[in-house]
PDB file of all heavy atoms in Angstrom:
ATOM      1  N   PRO B 127      -3.526  -3.974  16.884  1.00 98.00           N
ATOM      2  CA  PRO B 127      -2.415  -4.896  17.189  1.00 98.00           C
ATOM      3  C   PRO B 127      -1.054  -4.238  17.012  1.00 98.00           C
ATOM      4  O   PRO B 127      -0.118  -4.563  17.751  1.00 98.00           O
ATOM      5  CB  PRO B 127      -2.607  -6.027  16.172  1.00 98.00           C
ATOM      6  CG  PRO B 127      -4.039  -5.973  15.809  1.00 98.00           C
ATOM      7  CD  PRO B 127      -4.420  -4.523  15.831  1.00 98.00           C
ATOM      8  N   TRP B 128      -0.929  -3.281  16.084  1.00 98.00           N
ATOM      9  CA  TRP B 128       0.357  -2.594  15.872  1.00 98.00           C
ATOM     10  C   TRP B 128       0.600  -1.579  16.975  1.00 98.00           C
ATOM     11  O   TRP B 128       1.728  -1.391  17.411  1.00 98.00           O
ATOM     12  CB  TRP B 128       0.389  -1.936  14.488  1.00 98.00           C
ATOM     13  CG  TRP B 128       0.149  -2.950  13.404  1.00 98.00           C
ATOM     14  CD1 TRP B 128      -0.893  -2.969  12.521  1.00 98.00           C
ATOM     15  CD2 TRP B 128       0.953  -4.098  13.092  1.00 98.00           C
ATOM     16  NE1 TRP B 128      -0.797  -4.059  11.687  1.00 98.00           N
ATOM     17  CE2 TRP B 128       0.321  -4.769  12.003  1.00 98.00           C
ATOM     18  CE3 TRP B 128       2.122  -4.639  13.615  1.00 98.00           C
ATOM     19  CZ2 TRP B 128       0.846  -5.945  11.450  1.00 98.00           C
ATOM     20  CZ3 TRP B 128       2.631  -5.806  13.059  1.00 98.00           C
ATOM     21  CH2 TRP B 128       2.001  -6.441  11.991  1.00 98.00           C
ATOM     22  N   GLN B 129      -0.486  -0.939  17.434  1.00 98.00           N
ATOM     23  CA  GLN B 129      -0.316  -0.034  18.594  1.00 98.00           C
ATOM     24  C   GLN B 129       0.144  -0.835  19.809  1.00 98.00           C
ATOM     25  O   GLN B 129       1.009  -0.379  20.575  1.00 98.00           O
ATOM     26  CB  GLN B 129      -1.647   0.676  18.900  1.00 98.00           C
ATOM     27  CG  GLN B 129      -2.034   1.685  17.842  1.00 98.00           C
ATOM     28  CD  GLN B 129      -3.412   2.295  18.085  1.00 98.00           C
ATOM     29  OE1 GLN B 129      -4.325   1.614  18.554  1.00 98.00           O
ATOM     30  NE2 GLN B 129      -3.576   3.565  17.735  1.00 98.00           N
ATOM     31  N   MET B 130      -0.416  -2.014  19.972  1.00 98.00           N
ATOM     32  CA  MET B 130      -0.009  -2.847  21.114  1.00 98.00           C
ATOM     33  C   MET B 130       1.440  -3.292  20.964  1.00 98.00           C
ATOM     34  O   MET B 130       2.185  -3.350  21.949  1.00 98.00           O
ATOM     35  CB  MET B 130      -0.954  -4.065  21.228  1.00 98.00           C
ATOM     36  CG  MET B 130      -2.368  -3.675  21.641  1.00 98.00           C
ATOM     37  SD  MET B 130      -3.639  -4.910  21.251  1.00 98.00           S
ATOM     38  CE  MET B 130      -3.248  -6.205  22.385  1.00 98.00           C
ATOM     39  N   LEU B 131       1.835  -3.583  19.720  1.00 98.00           N
ATOM     40  CA  LEU B 131       3.249  -3.943  19.471  1.00 98.00           C
ATOM     41  C   LEU B 131       4.157  -2.749  19.796  1.00 98.00           C
ATOM     42  O   LEU B 131       5.236  -2.918  20.377  1.00 98.00           O
ATOM     43  CB  LEU B 131       3.417  -4.396  18.014  1.00 98.00           C
ATOM     44  CG  LEU B 131       4.824  -4.762  17.570  1.00 98.00           C
ATOM     45  CD1 LEU B 131       5.438  -5.878  18.417  1.00 98.00           C
ATOM     46  CD2 LEU B 131       4.841  -5.184  16.090  1.00 98.00           C
ATOM     47  N   CYS B 132       3.707  -1.556  19.437  1.00 98.00           N
ATOM     48  CA  CYS B 132       4.485  -0.349  19.749  1.00 98.00           C
ATOM     49  C   CYS B 132       4.634  -0.210  21.269  1.00 98.00           C
ATOM     50  O   CYS B 132       5.700   0.123  21.778  1.00 98.00           O
ATOM     51  CB  CYS B 132       3.815   0.896  19.174  1.00 98.00           C
ATOM     52  SG  CYS B 132       3.960   0.996  17.385  1.00 98.00           S
ATOM     53  N   GLU B 133       3.547  -0.477  21.998  1.00 98.00           N
ATOM     54  CA  GLU B 133       3.614  -0.381  23.468  1.00 98.00           C
ATOM     55  C   GLU B 133       4.619  -1.370  24.022  1.00 98.00           C
ATOM     56  O   GLU B 133       5.360  -1.096  24.974  1.00 98.00           O
ATOM     57  CB  GLU B 133       2.239  -0.648  24.094  1.00 98.00           C
ATOM     58  CG  GLU B 133       1.344   0.568  24.064  1.00 98.00           C
ATOM     59  CD  GLU B 133      -0.074   0.262  24.543  1.00 98.00           C
ATOM     60  OE1 GLU B 133      -0.265  -0.739  25.266  1.00 98.00           O
ATOM     61  OE2 GLU B 133      -0.983   1.013  24.162  1.00 98.00           O
ATOM     62  N   ARG B 134       4.668  -2.576  23.434  1.00 98.00           N
ATOM     63  CA  ARG B 134       5.592  -3.597  23.943  1.00 98.00           C
ATOM     64  C   ARG B 134       7.043  -3.272  23.642  1.00 98.00           C
ATOM     65  O   ARG B 134       7.932  -3.650  24.377  1.00 98.00           O
ATOM     66  CB  ARG B 134       5.262  -4.963  23.326  1.00 98.00           C
ATOM     67  CG  ARG B 134       4.008  -5.639  23.815  1.00 98.00           C
ATOM     68  CD  ARG B 134       3.982  -7.125  23.445  1.00 98.00           C
ATOM     69  NE  ARG B 134       3.904  -7.388  22.022  1.00 98.00           N
ATOM     70  CZ  ARG B 134       2.799  -7.384  21.294  1.00 98.00           C
ATOM     71  NH1 ARG B 134       1.647  -7.102  21.870  1.00 98.00           N
ATOM     72  NH2 ARG B 134       2.837  -7.645  20.008  1.00 98.00           N
TER      73      ARG B 134
END
Side-chain angles (χ1 to χ4, degrees):
W128 303 117
Q129 290 175 324
M130 292 160 70
L131 177 59
C132 288
E133 279 173 22
R134 288 196 295 278

